[in-house]
Amino acid sequence: MKKDFYEVLGIQKGASEEEIKKAYRRLAIKYHPDRNPGNKEAEEKFKEINEAYDVLSNPQKRQQYDSFGHEGMNGFGGGAGGAGGFGNMGDMGDIFGDIFGDIFGGGRAGRGGHSQKQYRKGDDIRYDLNISLLDAMTGKEVALDVTKRDTCQTCHGTGAKAGTSPKTCPKCRGTGQVRVSQGFFSFSQTCPNCHGEGQVIDNPCPTCRGTGTIRTSKTIKVRVPQGVNDGSTLRVSGAGDAGPNDAQSGDLYVVIHLRKQSGVERNGDDLYTEIKLTFAQAALGLDYDVPVLDGTVKVKIAPGTQPGTELRVREHGFPKLGRRGIRGDLYVKVNVSVPKSLNSEQKKALFEFAKTMGEIPKDAVQKNDSFFKKFFS
C-alpha cells in the first residue's frame, strides 16, 4: 500500500507551494543516488519523494489527490511517478538546478538550459593589527604592509602570454558549465576542462603562469575609528587577493588587538585607574590631576576621603563607537599611602596630632613619659 504523499514529504496537508518545494529539495538532496551509491533503500526513497512531489506540486493533480487519494491519479498520463508523470518539469528544473549545484558544486542552470558562468572571486585576507589604547581612543589612520595576490601587469590579468588570448572552452562553449544526464534527469555541473572559467589558455603568461595574478606586497591605508573594541574587525572591500583571470578581488579583514597600558584599564566604554594620596591629602582634600590616556583630568578630592573610595568622573572614559562626542565614564580608586620612615620632627608632630584626636590617652603619656622622650630624641 502506498504511503500518503504528504507523509512522504513530511508536511501537513495544507502546506503551501513553497513549503512543498523546501521539503522536496531537502529530501532529494539527502536521498539522491549519487550521495548514496549502491543503497537500494535510498534509491526507492528517492523515487517515492519524486512521485509525491510530482503530484503535490501540480495544482490539478493535488486537487484530484486530495479528493480521491491514490485512486484519483489513474487518469493522469500513465500515473504518478511514471515517465509521463512529470508534467511540472519547468518547475522541477529550477529545483534540480539548486539540488545538483549542492551535490556537485556546479552552478545552477537557468531556464532554457543555459548555464551561468561562475566567476571565482579572489580570496579574502586577514591582517592582525596591534594598537595602543590611546590610538583606539582617538582614532588613527594606519598604513599596513600587506602581502597579497595582485593582478599580473604583464598579461593584465588574462593569464595569457603577450600576443595571445584565452580561448573559449570547447567543452562548455564558454558557459563554465556542462550538462550531465542521469536517467530522466538532466542537470549542470562545473566544466572539468576549464574549471568553471569558460575559457582555456594554450599559451600561459610566463610571469604569472596563467593565473593572472602574482604575489606582491602593497601598502594599504586603513582608518581605525574612535572607540574600536578589542577583537573588532574592519573590512576593506576589494583589498584582498585579486581574482584569477581578472575576476573580482576578495576583501581585507583587519582584526584589532588592543595593547594593555600600565595604570589604566578599559571595561566597555569606561576607564579605570588608581591614585595614591598621602594621609594629609586624603584628610584635607585637594584638586588632584589624574593621569589618563590623553593627558590629565582634574578630580576634586573631598576632605576626609577614605582609602578604597571610588570616584566617578562622567564622560571622561572611552568614546562610544559610532557615536561621535559621547564617551563612557572614568572611575578613580583612591589609595592612601603610609610613610615608611619619619624624622624626629615629623614623629613629634604626628604624636601631637594623635593626642588631639584622642588616639593616645593623657594618663598613658604621663606613665610612659621616659619612653616617649627616648622615642622622640
Side-chain angles (χ1 to χ4, degrees):
M1 183 177 178
K2 285 187 177 182
K3 290 183 180 180
D4 178 79
F5 286 152
Y6 291 101
E7 183 182 340
V8 170
L9 296 183
I11 55 177
Q12 299 295 321
K13 190 171 183 179
S16 66
E17 290 183 16
E18 188 61 29
E19 289 173 327
I20 294 172
K21 285 183 181 180
K22 286 182 178 179
Y24 172 69
R25 185 179 185 278
R26 175 176 54 81
L27 293 171
I29 292 174
K30 181 178 179 180
Y31 292 105
H32 190 273
D34 286 327
R35 282 195 169 180
N36 303 273
N39 189 331
K40 293 295 183 182
E41 185 178 345
E43 186 178 337
E44 289 302 318
K45 186 71 175 178
F46 187 67
K47 292 178 181 178
E48 195 176 59
I49 61 177
N50 280 324
E51 182 180 8
Y53 180 73
D54 172 56
V55 172
L56 299 184
S57 63
N58 185 305
Q60 273 186 304
K61 291 183 180 181
R62 184 179 182 182
Q63 183 179 8
Q64 191 78 357
Y65 176 76
D66 288 346
S67 299
F68 304 103
H70 291 292
E71 293 297 324
M73 297 294 98
N74 292 333
F76 281 91
F86 292 92
N88 201 21
M89 284 300 291
D91 192 29
M92 290 194 53
D94 284 344
I95 292 178
F96 270 86
D98 289 337
I99 291 174
F100 292 118
D102 286 340
I103 294 175
F104 299 104
R108 176 180 171 181
R111 291 187 182 275
H114 298 291
S115 299
Q116 300 172 355
K117 178 182 174 181
Q118 301 296 307
Y119 292 92
R120 184 161 59 87
K121 181 181 176 183
D123 292 333
D124 295 329
I125 298 175
R126 169 177 171 146
Y127 189 100
D128 291 277
L129 176 63
N130 294 292
I131 61 173
S132 66
L133 277 176
L134 178 59
D135 288 340
M137 183 176 186
T138 59
K140 183 181 181 181
E141 185 176 74
V142 294
L144 309 180
D145 292 326
V146 179
T147 300
K148 52 169 289 196
R149 299 203 70 85
D150 207 1
T151 300
C152 175
Q153 296 304 308
T154 302
C155 64
H156 304 289
T158 65
K161 186 178 180 180
T164 67
S165 59
K167 295 181 180 179
T168 300
C169 175
K171 190 173 184 67
C172 66
R173 298 180 181 179
T175 64
Q177 303 284 303
V178 291
R179 303 290 295 179
V180 178
S181 296
Q182 184 167 353
F184 49 80
F185 296 119
S186 180
F187 54 91
S188 295
Q189 70 178 41
T190 301
C191 175
N193 188 49
C194 66
H195 306 291
E197 300 297 334
Q199 57 187 16
V200 291
I201 299 173
D202 293 332
N203 297 292
C205 169
T207 302
C208 65
R209 299 180 181 180
T211 64
T213 64
I214 56 172
R215 186 162 293 279
T216 184
S217 180
K218 294 198 73 173
T219 299
I220 299 173
K221 291 185 177 180
V222 176
R223 183 70 193 176
V224 177
Q226 282 187 324
V228 69
N229 297 305
D230 186 69
S232 294
T233 301
L234 309 178
R235 175 175 172 264
V236 185
S237 181
D241 284 345
N245 300 317
D246 208 23
Q248 182 183 357
S249 296
D251 300 327
L252 170 65
Y253 290 90
V254 182
V255 182
I256 302 296
H257 302 280
L258 301 184
R259 293 194 295 267
K260 291 185 177 181
Q261 185 160 330
S262 177
V264 181
E265 290 188 6
R266 179 187 177 187
N267 186 359
D269 296 319
D270 297 326
L271 291 175
Y272 292 81
T273 190
E274 297 184 7
I275 60 173
K276 283 187 177 181
L277 301 180
T278 65
F279 168 77
Q281 288 173 329
L284 299 175
L286 77 160
D287 290 335
Y288 192 97
D289 289 327
V290 178
V292 289
L293 294 173
D294 53 351
T296 59
V297 175
K298 194 172 289 295
V299 177
K300 187 173 185 61
I301 307 296
T305 295
Q306 299 299 304
T309 298
E310 190 171 69
L311 306 176
R312 179 185 181 187
V313 187
R314 294 182 180 275
E315 297 185 0
H316 277 79
F318 227 70
K320 292 183 180 291
L321 184 63
R323 301 175 65 183
R324 185 178 294 274
I326 301 178
R327 298 174 66 164
D329 299 329
L330 171 67
Y331 290 88
V332 181
K333 183 179 179 181
V334 177
N335 296 317
V336 177
S337 60
V338 177
K340 293 183 178 180
S341 61
L342 298 172
N343 59 35
S344 58
E345 290 185 6
Q346 291 169 336
K347 290 177 182 178
K348 288 177 182 179
L350 189 58
F351 181 75
E352 292 300 324
F353 173 77
K355 286 199 300 183
T356 62
M357 293 296 292
E359 296 176 4
I360 300 177
K362 291 182 179 180
D363 59 345
V365 175
Q366 294 170 353
K367 290 178 181 179
N368 296 280
D369 186 57
S370 61
F371 167 77
F372 290 112
K373 283 181 179 180
K374 182 181 179 182
F375 183 74
F376 292 117
S377 60

mmCIF file of all heavy atoms in Angstrom, residues 60-108:
data_model
loop_
_atom_site.group_PDB
_atom_site.id
_atom_site.type_symbol
_atom_site.label_atom_id
_atom_site.label_comp_id
_atom_site.label_asym_id
_atom_site.label_seq_id
_atom_site.Cartn_x
_atom_site.Cartn_y
_atom_site.Cartn_z
ATOM 1 N N GLN A 60 -3.632 20.755 -10.281
ATOM 2 C CA GLN A 60 -4.697 19.855 -10.722
ATOM 3 C C GLN A 60 -4.562 18.474 -10.067
ATOM 4 O O GLN A 60 -5.527 17.921 -9.536
ATOM 5 C CB GLN A 60 -4.646 19.699 -12.245
ATOM 6 C CG GLN A 60 -5.424 20.784 -12.996
ATOM 7 C CD GLN A 60 -5.455 20.471 -14.490
ATOM 8 O OE1 GLN A 60 -4.414 20.310 -15.124
ATOM 9 N NE2 GLN A 60 -6.649 20.380 -15.043
ATOM 10 N N LYS A 61 -3.339 17.941 -10.114
ATOM 11 C CA LYS A 61 -3.111 16.624 -9.534
ATOM 12 C C LYS A 61 -3.338 16.645 -8.023
ATOM 13 O O LYS A 61 -3.887 15.706 -7.454
ATOM 14 C CB LYS A 61 -1.681 16.148 -9.829
ATOM 15 C CG LYS A 61 -1.413 15.816 -11.287
ATOM 16 C CD LYS A 61 0.003 15.278 -11.452
ATOM 17 C CE LYS A 61 0.303 14.934 -12.900
ATOM 18 N NZ LYS A 61 1.662 14.399 -13.056
ATOM 19 N N ARG A 62 -2.907 17.718 -7.411
ATOM 20 C CA ARG A 62 -3.060 17.808 -5.953
ATOM 21 C C ARG A 62 -4.534 17.833 -5.562
ATOM 22 O O ARG A 62 -4.938 17.170 -4.593
ATOM 23 C CB ARG A 62 -2.353 19.063 -5.438
ATOM 24 C CG ARG A 62 -2.390 19.188 -3.912
ATOM 25 C CD ARG A 62 -1.656 20.419 -3.441
ATOM 26 N NE ARG A 62 -1.653 20.525 -1.995
ATOM 27 C CZ ARG A 62 -1.114 21.519 -1.304
ATOM 28 N NH1 ARG A 62 -0.518 22.515 -1.948
ATOM 29 N NH2 ARG A 62 -1.164 21.538 0.016
ATOM 30 N N GLN A 63 -5.349 18.589 -6.312
ATOM 31 C CA GLN A 63 -6.781 18.647 -6.013
ATOM 32 C C GLN A 63 -7.427 17.271 -6.189
ATOM 33 O O GLN A 63 -8.255 16.841 -5.369
ATOM 34 C CB GLN A 63 -7.453 19.670 -6.934
ATOM 35 C CG GLN A 63 -8.939 19.861 -6.652
ATOM 36 C CD GLN A 63 -9.569 20.895 -7.565
ATOM 37 O OE1 GLN A 63 -8.938 21.364 -8.497
ATOM 38 N NE2 GLN A 63 -10.806 21.234 -7.303
ATOM 39 N N GLN A 64 -7.023 16.583 -7.263
ATOM 40 C CA GLN A 64 -7.562 15.246 -7.520
ATOM 41 C C GLN A 64 -7.126 14.273 -6.418
ATOM 42 O O GLN A 64 -7.921 13.454 -5.937
ATOM 43 C CB GLN A 64 -7.052 14.744 -8.880
ATOM 44 C CG GLN A 64 -7.736 13.482 -9.380
ATOM 45 C CD GLN A 64 -9.109 13.738 -9.963
ATOM 46 O OE1 GLN A 64 -9.583 14.878 -9.936
ATOM 47 N NE2 GLN A 64 -9.762 12.704 -10.457
ATOM 48 N N TYR A 65 -5.859 14.401 -5.997
ATOM 49 C CA TYR A 65 -5.343 13.516 -4.956
ATOM 50 C C TYR A 65 -6.033 13.788 -3.613
ATOM 51 O O TYR A 65 -6.389 12.857 -2.886
ATOM 52 C CB TYR A 65 -3.833 13.703 -4.809
ATOM 53 C CG TYR A 65 -3.233 12.886 -3.689
ATOM 54 C CD1 TYR A 65 -3.031 11.509 -3.823
ATOM 55 C CD2 TYR A 65 -2.868 13.482 -2.479
ATOM 56 C CE1 TYR A 65 -2.498 10.753 -2.790
ATOM 57 C CE2 TYR A 65 -2.333 12.737 -1.440
ATOM 58 C CZ TYR A 65 -2.147 11.373 -1.606
ATOM 59 O OH TYR A 65 -1.627 10.632 -0.577
ATOM 60 N N ASP A 66 -6.224 15.065 -3.287
ATOM 61 C CA ASP A 66 -6.886 15.415 -2.034
ATOM 62 C C ASP A 66 -8.312 14.891 -1.981
ATOM 63 O O ASP A 66 -8.838 14.553 -0.906
ATOM 64 C CB ASP A 66 -6.889 16.945 -1.845
ATOM 65 C CG ASP A 66 -5.506 17.487 -1.523
ATOM 66 O OD1 ASP A 66 -4.617 16.674 -1.178
ATOM 67 O OD2 ASP A 66 -5.314 18.713 -1.623
ATOM 68 N N SER A 67 -8.950 14.806 -3.157
ATOM 69 C CA SER A 67 -10.350 14.357 -3.202
ATOM 70 C C SER A 67 -10.480 12.837 -3.235
ATOM 71 O O SER A 67 -11.356 12.261 -2.578
ATOM 72 C CB SER A 67 -11.046 14.946 -4.439
ATOM 73 O OG SER A 67 -11.045 16.357 -4.392
ATOM 74 N N PHE A 68 -9.591 12.179 -3.993
ATOM 75 C CA PHE A 68 -9.785 10.742 -4.225
ATOM 76 C C PHE A 68 -8.595 9.875 -3.836
ATOM 77 O O PHE A 68 -8.620 8.656 -4.036
ATOM 78 C CB PHE A 68 -10.113 10.494 -5.711
ATOM 79 C CG PHE A 68 -11.315 11.269 -6.183
ATOM 80 C CD1 PHE A 68 -11.154 12.415 -6.963
ATOM 81 C CD2 PHE A 68 -12.605 10.883 -5.832
ATOM 82 C CE1 PHE A 68 -12.244 13.141 -7.399
ATOM 83 C CE2 PHE A 68 -13.696 11.616 -6.275
ATOM 84 C CZ PHE A 68 -13.524 12.755 -7.044
ATOM 85 N N GLY A 69 -7.532 10.489 -3.313
ATOM 86 C CA GLY A 69 -6.382 9.699 -2.903
ATOM 87 C C GLY A 69 -5.628 9.137 -4.093
ATOM 88 O O GLY A 69 -5.684 9.675 -5.203
ATOM 89 N N HIS A 70 -4.911 8.026 -3.892
ATOM 90 C CA HIS A 70 -4.099 7.440 -4.961
ATOM 91 C C HIS A 70 -4.941 6.972 -6.144
ATOM 92 O O HIS A 70 -4.473 6.982 -7.287
ATOM 93 C CB HIS A 70 -3.290 6.255 -4.410
ATOM 94 C CG HIS A 70 -2.203 6.669 -3.448
ATOM 95 N ND1 HIS A 70 -1.096 7.373 -3.836
ATOM 96 C CD2 HIS A 70 -2.080 6.483 -2.098
ATOM 97 C CE1 HIS A 70 -0.334 7.603 -2.785
ATOM 98 N NE2 HIS A 70 -0.901 7.081 -1.711
ATOM 99 N N GLU A 71 -6.171 6.581 -5.890
ATOM 100 C CA GLU A 71 -7.041 6.127 -6.979
ATOM 101 C C GLU A 71 -7.328 7.247 -7.968
ATOM 102 O O GLU A 71 -7.559 7.005 -9.156
ATOM 103 C CB GLU A 71 -8.359 5.587 -6.405
ATOM 104 C CG GLU A 71 -8.223 4.309 -5.590
ATOM 105 C CD GLU A 71 -7.710 3.163 -6.442
ATOM 106 O OE1 GLU A 71 -8.080 3.080 -7.623
ATOM 107 O OE2 GLU A 71 -6.904 2.357 -5.921
ATOM 108 N N GLY A 72 -7.310 8.481 -7.486
ATOM 109 C CA GLY A 72 -7.602 9.613 -8.361
ATOM 110 C C GLY A 72 -6.500 9.935 -9.334
ATOM 111 O O GLY A 72 -6.660 10.796 -10.209
ATOM 112 N N MET A 73 -5.332 9.257 -9.228
ATOM 113 C CA MET A 73 -4.204 9.543 -10.095
ATOM 114 C C MET A 73 -4.190 8.697 -11.358
ATOM 115 O O MET A 73 -3.343 8.894 -12.230
ATOM 116 C CB MET A 73 -2.878 9.311 -9.331
ATOM 117 C CG MET A 73 -2.678 10.242 -8.126
ATOM 118 S SD MET A 73 -2.480 11.973 -8.610
ATOM 119 C CE MET A 73 -4.147 12.602 -8.362
ATOM 120 N N ASN A 74 -5.085 7.774 -11.496
ATOM 121 C CA ASN A 74 -5.040 6.852 -12.624
ATOM 122 C C ASN A 74 -5.253 7.523 -13.970
ATOM 123 O O ASN A 74 -4.827 7.030 -15.001
ATOM 124 C CB ASN A 74 -6.091 5.750 -12.449
ATOM 125 C CG ASN A 74 -5.737 4.822 -11.288
ATOM 126 O OD1 ASN A 74 -4.568 4.684 -10.958
ATOM 127 N ND2 ASN A 74 -6.753 4.214 -10.672
ATOM 128 N N GLY A 75 -5.937 8.635 -13.993
ATOM 129 C CA GLY A 75 -6.230 9.285 -15.280
ATOM 130 C C GLY A 75 -5.186 10.302 -15.708
ATOM 131 O O GLY A 75 -5.391 11.008 -16.692
ATOM 132 N N PHE A 76 -4.047 10.386 -15.018
ATOM 133 C CA PHE A 76 -3.037 11.394 -15.351
ATOM 134 C C PHE A 76 -1.842 10.771 -16.060
ATOM 135 O O PHE A 76 -0.819 10.456 -15.462
ATOM 136 C CB PHE A 76 -2.565 12.112 -14.079
ATOM 137 C CG PHE A 76 -3.515 13.164 -13.605
ATOM 138 C CD1 PHE A 76 -4.517 12.852 -12.690
ATOM 139 C CD2 PHE A 76 -3.433 14.454 -14.087
ATOM 140 C CE1 PHE A 76 -5.396 13.818 -12.258
ATOM 141 C CE2 PHE A 76 -4.320 15.426 -13.652
ATOM 142 C CZ PHE A 76 -5.306 15.106 -12.746
ATOM 143 N N GLY A 77 -1.966 10.624 -17.384
ATOM 144 C CA GLY A 77 -0.818 10.282 -18.239
ATOM 145 C C GLY A 77 0.053 9.155 -17.760
ATOM 146 O O GLY A 77 1.251 9.327 -17.602
ATOM 147 N N GLY A 78 -0.488 7.987 -17.512
ATOM 148 C CA GLY A 78 0.329 6.838 -17.128
ATOM 149 C C GLY A 78 0.529 6.732 -15.639
ATOM 150 O O GLY A 78 1.239 5.866 -15.182
ATOM 151 N N GLY A 79 -0.090 7.644 -14.852
ATOM 152 C CA GLY A 79 0.002 7.530 -13.397
ATOM 153 C C GLY A 79 1.175 8.300 -12.856
ATOM 154 O O GLY A 79 2.164 8.547 -13.517
ATOM 155 N N ALA A 80 1.046 8.671 -11.580
ATOM 156 C CA ALA A 80 2.110 9.434 -10.927
ATOM 157 C C ALA A 80 3.368 8.615 -10.817
ATOM 158 O O ALA A 80 3.328 7.426 -10.549
ATOM 159 C CB ALA A 80 1.650 9.869 -9.533
ATOM 160 N N GLY A 81 4.499 9.276 -11.066
ATOM 161 C CA GLY A 81 5.783 8.602 -10.894
ATOM 162 C C GLY A 81 6.292 7.940 -12.141
ATOM 163 O O GLY A 81 7.442 7.584 -12.213
ATOM 164 N N GLY A 82 5.478 7.746 -13.181
ATOM 165 C CA GLY A 82 5.947 7.153 -14.421
ATOM 166 C C GLY A 82 6.654 8.179 -15.260
ATOM 167 O O GLY A 82 6.738 9.357 -14.926
ATOM 168 N N ALA A 83 7.132 7.758 -16.453
ATOM 169 C CA ALA A 83 7.854 8.679 -17.322
ATOM 170 C C ALA A 83 6.969 9.822 -17.751
ATOM 171 O O ALA A 83 7.428 10.923 -18.015
ATOM 172 C CB ALA A 83 8.386 7.922 -18.538
ATOM 173 N N GLY A 84 5.643 9.558 -17.851
ATOM 174 C CA GLY A 84 4.723 10.614 -18.250
ATOM 175 C C GLY A 84 4.201 11.381 -17.069
ATOM 176 O O GLY A 84 3.353 12.237 -17.227
ATOM 177 N N GLY A 85 4.657 11.062 -15.853
ATOM 178 C CA GLY A 85 4.103 11.671 -14.664
ATOM 179 C C GLY A 85 4.731 12.987 -14.274
ATOM 180 O O GLY A 85 4.275 13.620 -13.349
ATOM 181 N N PHE A 86 5.801 13.430 -14.939
ATOM 182 C CA PHE A 86 6.465 14.661 -14.553
ATOM 183 C C PHE A 86 6.020 15.803 -15.450
ATOM 184 O O PHE A 86 6.769 16.350 -16.237
ATOM 185 C CB PHE A 86 7.991 14.484 -14.625
ATOM 186 C CG PHE A 86 8.499 13.551 -13.583
ATOM 187 C CD1 PHE A 86 8.634 12.191 -13.841
ATOM 188 C CD2 PHE A 86 8.805 14.020 -12.313
ATOM 189 C CE1 PHE A 86 9.083 11.331 -12.868
ATOM 190 C CE2 PHE A 86 9.274 13.158 -11.331
ATOM 191 C CZ PHE A 86 9.399 11.798 -11.615
ATOM 192 N N GLY A 87 4.782 16.175 -15.298
ATOM 193 C CA GLY A 87 4.223 17.246 -16.114
ATOM 194 C C GLY A 87 4.690 18.615 -15.684
ATOM 195 O O GLY A 87 4.515 19.585 -16.412
ATOM 196 N N ASN A 88 5.278 18.740 -14.523
ATOM 197 C CA ASN A 88 5.683 20.047 -13.992
ATOM 198 C C ASN A 88 7.195 20.221 -14.096
ATOM 199 O O ASN A 88 7.850 20.710 -13.199
ATOM 200 C CB ASN A 88 5.248 20.151 -12.531
ATOM 201 C CG ASN A 88 5.168 21.592 -12.063
ATOM 202 O OD1 ASN A 88 5.060 22.497 -12.870
ATOM 203 N ND2 ASN A 88 5.219 21.782 -10.760
ATOM 204 N N MET A 89 7.762 19.828 -15.249
ATOM 205 C CA MET A 89 9.216 19.776 -15.382
ATOM 206 C C MET A 89 9.877 21.142 -15.368
ATOM 207 O O MET A 89 11.023 21.279 -14.975
ATOM 208 C CB MET A 89 9.590 19.050 -16.681
ATOM 209 C CG MET A 89 9.418 17.542 -16.589
ATOM 210 S SD MET A 89 10.428 16.816 -15.300
ATOM 211 C CE MET A 89 12.050 17.051 -15.979
ATOM 212 N N GLY A 90 9.164 22.204 -15.799
ATOM 213 C CA GLY A 90 9.764 23.533 -15.769
ATOM 214 C C GLY A 90 10.125 23.913 -14.348
ATOM 215 O O GLY A 90 11.209 24.398 -14.065
ATOM 216 N N ASP A 91 9.184 23.675 -13.421
ATOM 217 C CA ASP A 91 9.407 23.995 -12.023
ATOM 218 C C ASP A 91 10.459 23.074 -11.428
ATOM 219 O O ASP A 91 11.313 23.486 -10.656
ATOM 220 C CB ASP A 91 8.079 23.845 -11.271
ATOM 221 C CG ASP A 91 8.172 24.431 -9.873
ATOM 222 O OD1 ASP A 91 8.962 25.370 -9.692
ATOM 223 O OD2 ASP A 91 7.453 23.938 -8.991
ATOM 224 N N MET A 92 10.415 21.807 -11.807
ATOM 225 C CA MET A 92 11.360 20.843 -11.262
ATOM 226 C C MET A 92 12.774 21.116 -11.760
ATOM 227 O O MET A 92 13.747 20.862 -11.061
ATOM 228 C CB MET A 92 10.942 19.421 -11.632
ATOM 229 C CG MET A 92 9.692 18.994 -10.914
ATOM 230 S SD MET A 92 9.335 17.262 -10.960
ATOM 231 C CE MET A 92 10.791 16.509 -10.400
ATOM 232 N N GLY A 93 12.893 21.685 -12.947
ATOM 233 C CA GLY A 93 14.212 22.029 -13.463
ATOM 234 C C GLY A 93 14.886 23.048 -12.578
ATOM 235 O O GLY A 93 16.083 22.989 -12.320
ATOM 236 N N ASP A 94 14.105 24.025 -12.106
ATOM 237 C CA ASP A 94 14.665 25.032 -11.216
ATOM 238 C C ASP A 94 15.150 24.405 -9.921
ATOM 239 O O ASP A 94 16.222 24.732 -9.415
ATOM 240 C CB ASP A 94 13.597 26.098 -10.888
ATOM 241 C CG ASP A 94 13.391 27.048 -12.059
ATOM 242 O OD1 ASP A 94 14.254 27.060 -12.949
ATOM 243 O OD2 ASP A 94 12.366 27.755 -12.063
ATOM 244 N N ILE A 95 14.320 23.523 -9.374
ATOM 245 C CA ILE A 95 14.680 22.903 -8.097
ATOM 246 C C ILE A 95 15.904 22.018 -8.249
ATOM 247 O O ILE A 95 16.824 22.060 -7.443
ATOM 248 C CB ILE A 95 13.488 22.081 -7.549
ATOM 249 C CG1 ILE A 95 12.375 23.045 -7.149
ATOM 250 C CG2 ILE A 95 13.907 21.230 -6.372
ATOM 251 C CD1 ILE A 95 11.145 22.358 -6.656
ATOM 252 N N PHE A 96 15.948 21.222 -9.334
ATOM 253 C CA PHE A 96 17.087 20.335 -9.514
ATOM 254 C C PHE A 96 18.354 21.097 -9.854
ATOM 255 O O PHE A 96 19.453 20.645 -9.578
ATOM 256 C CB PHE A 96 16.783 19.281 -10.586
ATOM 257 C CG PHE A 96 16.175 18.052 -9.993
ATOM 258 C CD1 PHE A 96 14.813 17.968 -9.793
ATOM 259 C CD2 PHE A 96 16.978 17.007 -9.594
ATOM 260 C CE1 PHE A 96 14.258 16.849 -9.220
ATOM 261 C CE2 PHE A 96 16.424 15.880 -9.016
ATOM 262 C CZ PHE A 96 15.056 15.799 -8.828
ATOM 263 N N GLY A 97 18.212 22.313 -10.420
ATOM 264 C CA GLY A 97 19.401 23.146 -10.612
ATOM 265 C C GLY A 97 20.033 23.455 -9.276
ATOM 266 O O GLY A 97 21.246 23.453 -9.123
ATOM 267 N N ASP A 98 19.197 23.732 -8.263
ATOM 268 C CA ASP A 98 19.712 24.001 -6.925
ATOM 269 C C ASP A 98 20.272 22.734 -6.294
ATOM 270 O O ASP A 98 21.328 22.749 -5.671
ATOM 271 C CB ASP A 98 18.588 24.548 -6.024
ATOM 272 C CG ASP A 98 18.210 25.971 -6.421
ATOM 273 O OD1 ASP A 98 19.051 26.645 -7.042
ATOM 274 O OD2 ASP A 98 17.078 26.372 -6.114
ATOM 275 N N ILE A 99 19.540 21.653 -6.429
ATOM 276 C CA ILE A 99 19.934 20.402 -5.785
ATOM 277 C C ILE A 99 21.282 19.920 -6.301
ATOM 278 O O ILE A 99 22.200 19.645 -5.544
ATOM 279 C CB ILE A 99 18.870 19.310 -6.011
ATOM 280 C CG1 ILE A 99 17.604 19.665 -5.233
ATOM 281 C CG2 ILE A 99 19.397 17.941 -5.597
ATOM 282 C CD1 ILE A 99 16.455 18.736 -5.505
ATOM 283 N N PHE A 100 21.428 19.848 -7.616
ATOM 284 C CA PHE A 100 22.666 19.310 -8.160
ATOM 285 C C PHE A 100 23.810 20.290 -8.033
ATOM 286 O O PHE A 100 24.962 19.910 -8.053
ATOM 287 C CB PHE A 100 22.455 18.877 -9.613
ATOM 288 C CG PHE A 100 21.547 17.677 -9.724
ATOM 289 C CD1 PHE A 100 20.342 17.752 -10.393
ATOM 290 C CD2 PHE A 100 21.897 16.486 -9.122
ATOM 291 C CE1 PHE A 100 19.505 16.656 -10.479
ATOM 292 C CE2 PHE A 100 21.068 15.389 -9.197
ATOM 293 C CZ PHE A 100 19.862 15.475 -9.880
ATOM 294 N N GLY A 101 23.485 21.573 -7.906
ATOM 295 C CA GLY A 101 24.540 22.532 -7.594
ATOM 296 C C GLY A 101 25.127 22.225 -6.240
ATOM 297 O O GLY A 101 26.325 22.323 -6.009
ATOM 298 N N ASP A 102 24.271 21.838 -5.282
ATOM 299 C CA ASP A 102 24.745 21.498 -3.942
ATOM 300 C C ASP A 102 25.539 20.191 -3.950
ATOM 301 O O ASP A 102 26.532 20.038 -3.247
ATOM 302 C CB ASP A 102 23.565 21.349 -2.977
ATOM 303 C CG ASP A 102 22.976 22.705 -2.620
ATOM 304 O OD1 ASP A 102 23.686 23.703 -2.800
ATOM 305 O OD2 ASP A 102 21.824 22.724 -2.167
ATOM 306 N N ILE A 103 25.069 19.231 -4.741
ATOM 307 C CA ILE A 103 25.698 17.917 -4.731
ATOM 308 C C ILE A 103 27.050 17.940 -5.436
ATOM 309 O O ILE A 103 28.042 17.427 -4.947
ATOM 310 C CB ILE A 103 24.779 16.866 -5.408
ATOM 311 C CG1 ILE A 103 23.508 16.682 -4.572
ATOM 312 C CG2 ILE A 103 25.505 15.545 -5.587
ATOM 313 C CD1 ILE A 103 22.490 15.774 -5.214
ATOM 314 N N PHE A 104 27.106 18.587 -6.602
ATOM 315 C CA PHE A 104 28.311 18.516 -7.415
ATOM 316 C C PHE A 104 29.146 19.783 -7.408
ATOM 317 O O PHE A 104 30.204 19.836 -7.992
ATOM 318 C CB PHE A 104 27.933 18.187 -8.872
ATOM 319 C CG PHE A 104 27.235 16.863 -9.003
ATOM 320 C CD1 PHE A 104 25.864 16.794 -9.208
ATOM 321 C CD2 PHE A 104 27.949 15.686 -8.882
ATOM 322 C CE1 PHE A 104 25.228 15.582 -9.315
ATOM 323 C CE2 PHE A 104 27.308 14.463 -8.997
ATOM 324 C CZ PHE A 104 25.942 14.408 -9.214
ATOM 325 N N GLY A 105 28.652 20.842 -6.778
ATOM 326 C CA GLY A 105 29.430 22.071 -6.703
ATOM 327 C C GLY A 105 29.350 22.915 -7.948
ATOM 328 O O GLY A 105 30.118 23.855 -8.124
ATOM 329 N N GLY A 106 28.457 22.611 -8.860
ATOM 330 C CA GLY A 106 28.334 23.371 -10.093
ATOM 331 C C GLY A 106 27.369 24.509 -9.956
ATOM 332 O O GLY A 106 26.682 24.660 -8.966
ATOM 333 N N GLY A 107 27.312 25.345 -10.981
ATOM 334 C CA GLY A 107 26.372 26.468 -10.978
ATOM 335 C C GLY A 107 25.001 26.009 -11.367
ATOM 336 O O GLY A 107 24.797 24.942 -11.950
ATOM 337 N N ARG A 108 24.028 26.841 -11.104
ATOM 338 C CA ARG A 108 22.652 26.491 -11.399
ATOM 339 C C ARG A 108 22.321 26.811 -12.838
ATOM 340 O O ARG A 108 22.694 27.862 -13.356
ATOM 341 C CB ARG A 108 21.736 27.285 -10.477
ATOM 342 C CG ARG A 108 20.271 27.063 -10.769
ATOM 343 C CD ARG A 108 19.404 27.868 -9.831
ATOM 344 N NE ARG A 108 18.023 27.824 -10.242
ATOM 345 C CZ ARG A 108 17.050 28.449 -9.615
ATOM 346 N NH1 ARG A 108 17.317 29.149 -8.546
ATOM 347 N NH2 ARG A 108 15.825 28.365 -10.045
#
